[in-house]
Amino acid sequence: EKGPYQHFMQKEIFEQPTVVAQTLRSYLRPLERQVALPQIDFDISAVNRITIVACGTSYYAAMVAKYWFESFARVPVDIDFASEFRYRDPILPAGGLALFISQSGETADTLAALRHCKAAGQTIAVVVNVPTSTMAREADLLLPTHAGPEIGVASTKAFTCQLAVLAALAAHFAVKKGRMSAAEEAEIVAHLMEAPASLNLALEHDDEIKAMAPLIAPARDVLYLGRGPDFPLALEGALKLKEISYIHAEGYAAGEMKHGPIALIDEAVPVIVIAPSGPHFEKTVSNMQEVRARGGKIVLISDAEGLAEAGAGCLATIEMPRVHPLIAPLVYAVPVQLLAYHVACFKGTDVDQPRNLAKSVTVE
Ligand code: M6R
């Protein structure tokens, strides 16, 4: 079933161009350059607040989505870990929309939060990969990701497919709320349609990233930095590395470094900086220079332009294709997944079945 691949995780990383394209096909009308959502039985223009709840990697997709919903549609978004959500007595607006993101559709904390919101009269939307799951059955609005079965415990292709659905949904909200013109919608659709090809280009760096594994594997701690919609990618990179290679890793908002974690920096702590060209680049790079000034060893992930500007003096660089900031979180997921994967392989851990973890967490 793994075909030419050594692990399911590796196979699933490499499936991303195909499954993201497959997912986008059901959310976009390429010829008309429009987003196309399934039948929605509520008035989107009346939604004034969205609550998004998820766990783990799906929660990081929610973080990116918050950014998109707020910047495109100007709808305030409240996000939370499912395990925290119910216990803080959340304020749920009358007629509000609650959105749940889950690969499995069975995660106990997320399901409990969904039922809590349902009982509180919220409209329930679910972005889910398993169409027969409990969450899919209990949703008012089902938004499937078409990633196909994800076997590796570390979530990879489900994440990029979640992002594809959420970007289309955020654009749809923006259109319905009168915040996005037809021309802007056409532009968003065009950028999303570029994602599969850009994912393919990102995957071409596999060998190069594999060659970096021996540089990272001996580390006791690794830091990941990102900013804006790429900050969740830093968290995702750190989670991937922790769960399959057992190296302590932390993701930080690049600007938060100087408020504490910079104290950790020395030559023994690799710092992975996620900095696509775009509105956040300069600021992220100046945070990177603060790390470098303290002897930190940097792996910079950026595009050719970004690397030309800031790549000198790094321990290593990974060149991504130049992409629109909208699709950067999808494309930059690939190098952080591959880095975690190759470090774990180098260390010889059980990549698909890491210790202490289950694919679907069905206890609260
Ligand atoms: O099936 P779900 O998306 O609800 O699962 C949520 C988390 O348990 C999951 O993303 C977990 O964090 C992964 N092992 C991360 O790679």
Side-chain angles (χ1 to χ4, degrees):
E1 280 178 80
K2 282 186 280 214
Y5 299 103
Q6 252 186 299
H7 298 99
F8 282 108
M9 181 183 179
Q10 186 189 27
K11 171 173 179 268
E12 290 160 5
I13 291 172
F14 277 85
E15 277 171 354
Q16 289 178 109
T18 310
V19 294
V20 166
Q22 202 163 288
T23 299
L24 286 171
R25 267 199 291 280
S26 49
Y27 290 88
L28 303 179
R29 275 193 219 101
L31 295 178
E32 293 86 346
R33 290 276 192 268
Q34 285 172 341
V35 286
L37 272 283
Q39 175 67 34
I40 294 185
D41 298 326
F42 56 91
D43 180 11
I44 288 183
S45 62
V47 174
N48 288 323
R49 178 160 214 103
I50 305 173
T51 303
I52 313 183
V53 181
C55 299
T57 289
S58 297
Y59 175 77
Y60 300 144
M63 287 179 75
V64 178
K66 173 181 166 75
Y67 199 93
W68 288 335
F69 277 108
E70 293 187 342
S71 61
F72 299 163
R74 308 304 294 157
V75 184
V77 175
D78 189 23
I79 56 173
D80 212 343
F81 291 119
S83 56
E84 288 293 318
F85 175 76
R86 276 191 320 143
Y87 302 102
R88 68 174 164 89
D89 198 7
I91 299 166
L92 298 169
L97 176 68
L99 173 62
F100 300 85
I101 307 173
S102 177
Q103 188 285 128
S104 61
E106 304 295 347
T107 301
D109 284 316
T110 311
L111 186 57
L114 182 156
R115 289 177 174 158
H116 177 89
C117 288
K118 198 165 215 179
Q122 303 293 290
T123 299
I124 307 297
V126 169
V127 175
V128 72
N129 195 43
V130 179
T132 51
S133 61
T134 311
M135 284 183 223
R137 282 200 305 276
E138 298 193 10
D140 299 313
L141 173 61
L142 175 60
L143 300 164
T145 45
H146 300 289
E150 193 181 66
I151 311 290
V153 162
S155 186
T156 53
K157 62 178 180 168
F159 176 67
T160 41
C161 288
Q162 287 165 348
L163 291 178
V165 172
L166 291 162
L169 185 65
H172 187 67
F173 262 74
V175 170
K176 293 285 173 196
K177 288 219 147 246
R179 294 276 184 181
M180 190 178 270
S181 66
E184 288 165 330
E185 180 185 7
E187 215 180 294
I188 295 279
V189 171
H191 293 311
L192 285 173
M193 283 165 50
E194 285 159 13
S198 301
L199 287 165
N200 261 320
L201 291 172
L203 286 165
E204 285 178 7
H205 296 270
D206 184 43
D207 285 341
E208 213 178 290
I209 296 173
K210 183 176 180 182
M212 282 172 207
L215 302 175
I216 306 297
R220 201 190 58 180
D221 310 288
V222 178
L223 275 173
Y224 287 74
L225 302 181
R227 203 176 251 271
D230 305 308
F231 162 45
L233 267 294
L235 296 168
E236 170 63 0
L239 175 61
K240 289 288 93 98
L241 191 71
K242 275 185 272 213
E243 72 178 330
I244 60 169
S245 79
Y246 315 145
I247 296 174
H248 169 241
E250 281 193 63
Y252 252 89
E256 271 295 295
M257 273 293 290
K258 53 186 169 302
H259 298 287
I262 201 157
L264 290 172
I265 301 297
D266 63 21
E267 316 70 58
V269 183
V271 180
I272 319 289
V273 180
I274 300 160
S277 287
H280 305 292
F281 179 78
E282 299 298 335
K283 281 272 157 55
T284 307
V285 164
S286 82
N287 300 134
M288 180 184 104
Q289 307 300 15
E290 293 159 7
V291 171
R292 191 171 8 228
R294 280 141 191 103
K297 293 250 163 43
I298 292 156
V299 176
L300 177 60
I301 312 178
S302 186
D303 43 47
E305 203 181 317
L307 295 181
E309 188 177 326
C314 291
L315 173 69
T317 58
I318 306 174
E319 186 183 321
M320 290 291 99
R322 176 83 202 244
V323 293
H324 187 271
L326 170 70
I327 63 164
L330 285 91
V331 175
Y332 283 66
V334 169
V336 299
Q337 293 164 351
L338 286 173
L339 189 63
Y341 173 73
H342 287 301
V343 170
C345 290
F346 186 80
K347 291 191 76 175
T349 59
D350 186 347
V351 170
D352 282 333
Q353 203 52 257
R355 68 187 182 202
N356 309 340
L357 283 166
K359 181 64 185 157
S360 176
V361 182
T362 51
V363 287
E364 281 184 55

